[in-house]
Amino acid sequence: MDELTQLRELRADAPAPDRAALAPGRALLTDAIAGRNRRARRLRADWRIASLGAAAAITAAALIVTQIVDTTAPEHGHLAARAHDPDLSGPAAALNEAAGALTRKKTPVEPRNDQWVYLREVGGTVTDRVRAGDSVRTDPSVPHPMDRSDPHTPHETWLKYGGEAEEKKRTPDLVHRPYSPRRLHRIATALPQDPRELLAELRRLFPADAGHRVAGETTDEHNYRAVFTLLDQSYAIPPHALARIYTALATVKDVKVTDRLVRDASGREVIAVTRESSRTNIRQEIFIDPRTYAYTGFREVVTKEHRAWYDGTRYPGDVIGDLARIETAVVDADRERP
């Protein structure tokens, strides 16, 4: 392969720049060829050195073009390599864009009933606290499903895929999961296409009498909670089903999307679909991967100062829940890692 072919293939995926962007490189190359540069005139006597100079000029021009093209790339850390930024102008735009991308994906093979779902997560329930003046103490009477951790100490969970007989039990992570992964897969697959019918079905499957934290919630609060519960407790929802869920989520009243990518508990940049509740004074955020559009975790943030019965006074900005799902896989045995 010759040098010109290598140069052409170096940035084959980059969009063609306009004439103005090419002007600096063109001038540099022209000067080198015409010999107007003093150094070029001195070296012209040796054709081998002159050819090297021309190649260097071509390379410099290519680098200039590359730098110009890259100035329009998204500045989102490891996500800068994406072909385009997600549309975060509103919930309908963001979620319908995600739904459109998901409908073009193939449905993966469903795991076997005897296999296990492996979840690796960072974050969790922030340590409950009771404030007394300037002091902070932990309330031992409050259960801690999972202490907040850092990326170096993740929390691992194994769930039997076809564990129908274990649906009513609490899993080792102390999170109540009413359905097995297999059952959640069936639920998601069977959800209706119409957003209103889909949300009504999720309200039926995840009722409002699950505890004091959801007592008295409105229909829209229930819709959002039911969608979140399905996303959070499912291993992998089939792409076409997930597309229907996102389309329905966009119709829930007061749902918003943050106008920029935010960082989750693991430090990744994610799409945040949010809803604030004046009843609970909390904003819940559902996190979505901007590349795959998979659910990746959540966060709960206090929006107004108030007292909670189990952890004293909460203040605006307090994060009371923060979880990032950093790995999911199917394994053949309990406690096996991928």
Side-chain angles (χ1 to χ4, degrees):
M1 182 181 293
D2 60 79
E3 290 80 4
L4 288 177
T5 300
Q6 288 179 323
L7 285 171
R8 281 194 297 268
E9 294 180 352
L10 180 64
R11 290 284 290 178
D13 60 338
D18 57 23
R19 294 179 63 86
L22 290 174
R26 185 184 298 108
L28 180 62
L29 181 58
T30 302
D31 287 345
I33 295 173
R36 287 195 290 266
N37 184 285
R38 290 184 178 179
R39 186 182 179 192
R41 285 198 297 268
R42 287 198 303 268
L43 297 178
R44 191 169 53 185
D46 191 328
W47 67 269
R48 291 169 298 180
I49 297 177
S51 65
L52 289 175
I58 294 172
T59 302
L63 290 175
I64 291 172
V65 171
T66 298
Q67 291 171 354
I68 293 173
V69 171
D70 282 348
T71 59
T72 60
E75 298 178 358
H76 293 308
H78 70 284
L79 298 177
R82 285 200 319 274
H84 66 280
D85 281 340
D87 186 345
L88 303 179
S89 59
L95 291 168
N96 288 333
E97 180 180 63
L102 289 166
T103 56
R104 295 189 291 272
K105 292 188 175 184
K106 294 182 179 180
T107 300
V109 177
E110 184 180 359
R112 301 190 313 270
N113 287 345
D114 63 339
Q115 290 183 304
W116 291 74
V117 171
Y118 169 80
L119 301 176
R120 189 165 177 260
E121 299 169 321
V122 174
T125 299
V126 176
T127 303
D128 295 307
R129 62 198 183 283
V130 176
R131 285 189 171 93
D134 295 330
S135 66
V136 178
R137 68 178 187 274
T138 299
D139 183 353
S141 67
V142 178
H144 300 284
M146 180 170 64
D147 288 338
R148 181 173 172 80
S149 58
D150 61 59
H152 303 292
T153 55
H155 180 76
E156 297 176 301
T157 304
W158 285 264
L159 302 169
K160 191 172 183 180
Y161 186 76
E164 307 296 345
E166 302 174 5
E167 286 188 358
K168 300 302 180 182
K169 297 180 181 179
R170 288 183 179 270
T171 58
D173 61 1
L174 302 181
V175 176
H176 179 58
R177 302 176 188 269
Y179 303 112
S180 68
R182 177 180 179 274
R183 176 60 177 150
L184 288 168
H185 186 281
R186 299 289 193 273
I187 287 173
T189 303
L191 287 173
Q193 187 77 33
D194 181 78
R196 288 177 297 180
E197 295 177 4
L198 184 150
L199 293 171
E201 178 65 6
L202 288 183
R203 291 197 305 272
R204 184 185 70 82
L205 292 163
F206 300 100
D209 57 358
H212 71 277
R213 296 194 184 192
V214 295
E217 66 182 353
T218 66
T219 299
D220 292 304
E221 287 175 331
H222 194 171
N223 285 334
Y224 187 87
R225 178 179 61 81
V227 170
F228 163 70
T229 303
L230 176 63
L231 294 174
D232 187 59
Q233 297 192 1
S234 295
Y235 154 64
I237 297 175
H240 287 249
L242 187 56
R244 295 197 298 272
I245 293 168
Y246 286 163
T247 300
L249 179 59
T251 68
V252 177
K253 185 180 178 181
D254 295 329
V255 163
K256 299 178 181 178
V257 63
T258 304
D259 61 1
R260 65 190 183 284
L261 297 178
V262 303
R263 294 196 179 274
D264 65 8
S266 70
R268 297 171 305 187
E269 290 179 309
V270 293
I271 298 171
V273 181
T274 72
R275 191 179 190 282
E276 294 187 14
S277 170
S278 58
R279 181 178 59 86
T280 62
N281 299 313
I282 291 173
R283 180 181 71 252
Q284 187 164 20
E285 304 174 348
I286 293 174
F287 291 153
I288 298 173
D289 190 309
R291 296 166 298 174
T292 66
Y293 297 111
Y295 166 80
T296 61
F298 73 92
R299 180 165 56 207
E300 292 179 314
V301 183
V302 175
T303 57
K304 183 179 179 181
E305 181 178 334
H306 66 281
R307 289 191 60 81
W309 69 271
Y310 58 91
D311 68 348
T313 303
R314 291 172 170 175
Y315 297 90
D318 281 355
V319 177
I320 59 174
D322 194 4
L323 188 71
R325 183 171 296 178
I326 56 179
E327 185 177 5
T328 58
V330 174
V331 295
D332 291 327
D334 189 13
R335 303 296 159 179
E336 177 184 338
R337 291 184 175 87

